[in-house]
Amino acid sequence: MQSYTEENYLKTIYHLAEKTTNVQTNAIAEQMQTKPASVTDMIKKLADKGLVDYIKYQGVTLTEIGKNTAIDIVRKHRLWEVFLVDKLNFKWDEVHDVAEELEHIKSIELIERLDEFLGFPKADPHGDPIPDKNGRFAKTQFIKLIELKIGDHGTITGVTQHSSAFLKHLEKLGLTLGKKIQISDVTDFDGSVEILLSGKQINISREVAKHILISSNGKN
Amino acid sequence: MQSYTEENYLKTIYHLAEKTTNVQTNAIAEQMQTKPASVTDMIKKLADKGLVDYIKYQGVTLTEIGKNTAIDIVRKHRLWEVFLVDKLNFKWDEVHDVAEELEHIKSIELIERLDEFLGFPKADPHGDPIPDKNGRFAKTQFIKLIELKIGDHGTITGVTQHSSAFLKHLEKLGLTLGKKIQISDVTDFDGSVEILLSGKQINISREVAKHILISSNGKN
DNA sequence: AAAAATTTTTAGATTTACCTAAAAATAAAA
DNA sequence: TTTTATTTTTAGGTAAATCTAAAAATTTTT
Ligand SMILES: [Mn+2]
Ligand SMILES: [Mn+2]
Ligand SMILES: [Mn+2]
Ligand SMILES: [Mn+2]
């Protein structure tokens, strides 16, 4: 059984490992809002418990058990987010902090029944995939909006930035999950993207376009 | 802001104060499954924070703030229990431990929306009253089944024992919340009670009868 | 009112999760 | 290949929540 803190470390290492192969002490410290020295302490403990492989100065990787544990926490986090949005009418920018606490409730029965109650959702309110109880993710094929060419179209299916500011901004623009869009133009000057959304033309900054995921239903 | 541990102490003191005016160190220790020395440490801390009044060797009482905090935790505990039973189909004997964890999730918004989602329930799955967001309890008038006389009738509206063994036993007997009963006979020999339940005669021990609460809709 | 039993508190440690400051290892630059 | 910069680890400490053992206060019994 892991502590609340250990679980958060495992989850952080898991997410960092999605981006970089070799997870560094400083990166963990930054993400966890703590000091590198504290991270070293915890890594040693996790290594003793067989949850991570660790070579001094060479960073960490999750063991099979560590990875499964991390995925289970991710599963809980995302299921709770669905609950908060679908059942309690929270907005997608309001759910993260509460889910951050709820993900640590220890009851297998609870999470399986919650999954069923929610209708076995495949994605959370931000489009992130929800692993099943065996830790398997449904395969997904996303493209970043920024990578689309003029004329390409598709459906908004996720975001890669979860800050409340960004999510509220998208909401205001009408860029929510499930919306269909088409690229009208890309501005040379600032890289901003002109898109067709529900019959209207809107312009979004390059920065925004970078963080929107599209399931492309066809080029041009 | 209180820690998980502080909250559990406050709740324990609150419940003990429902039975005895003067809450003793040893009683808290027993309830919290810890040692009296640890209780003394924590009581001092709670006193420093203004959550309890404390005189050495004279036991503790909750301050106004301490009491409100405790009631808020009780509210959360009971609302989560309703959620688990009504929405996730847990049995009434399975919810306590999970609610024990969920009660510590810190979000006022969450609990208010949960309350609404559940239809502002007035009682939890064990018949215990749920305080409103201002900490006020609906007035209830319960009598212990054991106190009823032959011919008296009423509706089962609560239990004063939450052990899984007891609750499962009641379930098997068909003695669940909302059921109407009438006292047919009381056995002199062992104090067991003969009751009429849904047209059938059943016999329950004195020990069981002591822990069932009845809202009496009339004598004889 | 003593003596005995019980309850409660203190004293001194332990464990977990942190921290700061300094040393050591590794990586990058000159 | 030194020097410099960055990253990581060690050393030593703190605070929260526990514990055991022993002392002190209170209550009960004789
Ligand atoms: Mn968390
Ligand atoms: Mn999410
Ligand atoms: Mn609790
Ligand atoms: Mn209950």
Side-chain angles (χ1 to χ4, degrees), chain B residues 46-69:
Chain B
L46 293 174
D48 286 347
K49 289 193 173 191
L51 296 163
V52 300
D53 289 319
Y54 169 56
I55 305 163
K56 268 189 193 174
Y57 294 99
Q58 304 308 131
V60 275
T61 50
L62 293 170
T63 62
E64 200 60 26
I65 301 168
K67 190 178 175 184
N68 289 341
T69 307

Side-chain angles (χ1 to χ4, degrees), chain B residues 77 81 124 126 128 162:
Chain B
H77 185 102
E81 283 191 345
D124 83 359
H126 312 104
D128 292 311
H162 293 181

Side-chain angles (χ1 to χ4, degrees), chain A residues 3 5-6 9 34-35 37-38 41-42 45 57-58:
Chain A
S3 73
T5 310
E6 286 165 359
Y9 269 94
T34 187
K35 298 292 136 99
S38 304
D41 285 347
M42 182 56 81
K45 190 176 162 193
Y57 293 97
Q58 303 309 129

